[in-house]
Amino acid sequence: MPEPEIDGGVFDRPQTRKVLWWILWGVCALSLALEPFIHRKNHFPQEDFFGFYAVLGFLACAICILVAKGLGFFLKKDVTYYEDDDV
């Protein structure tokens, strides 16, 4: 019996992925373009760097992903973890 084809949904379509990447890069570019017009009260001298908050957000997200990957490595279970032992 052949296995049925599984539709991955709208987010697995290549065209949707392309549109989502364009939206992501557009939002990133817009946030950098608007930065000179936003006045923030800086608490540290590093905050005067152009694009500081964009870099900070990127690094925070990258660190979260790396921590999650590391936790997944230590917390993963075998594929047979949920199978009955008495079968």
Side-chain angles (χ1 to χ4, degrees):
M1 181 172 181
E3 291 195 26
E5 291 185 26
I6 299 174
D7 182 25
V10 69
F11 292 111
D12 282 339
R13 296 181 191 149
Q15 185 63 25
T16 306
R17 287 183 181 187
K18 190 175 186 179
V19 169
L20 288 174
W21 275 110
W22 277 106
I23 290 172
L24 173 69
W25 286 110
V27 169
C28 290
L30 181 66
S31 69
L32 281 177
L34 292 177
E35 186 157 343
F37 306 107
I38 298 173
H39 176 69
R40 294 185 178 102
K41 183 177 179 181
N42 297 337
H43 300 285
F44 301 102
Q46 294 85 358
E47 294 178 74
D48 288 333
F49 171 67
F50 180 77
F52 172 78
Y53 291 102
V55 172
L56 180 67
F58 174 78
L59 290 177
C61 186
I63 289 171
C64 285
I65 290 171
L66 291 175
V67 168
K69 290 277 190 182
L71 284 174
F73 179 74
F74 290 111
L75 298 176
K76 67 181 173 187
K77 299 289 183 189
D78 282 339
V79 220
T80 60
Y81 180 75
Y82 290 106
E83 291 181 4
D84 292 331
D85 292 334
D86 56 329
V87 174

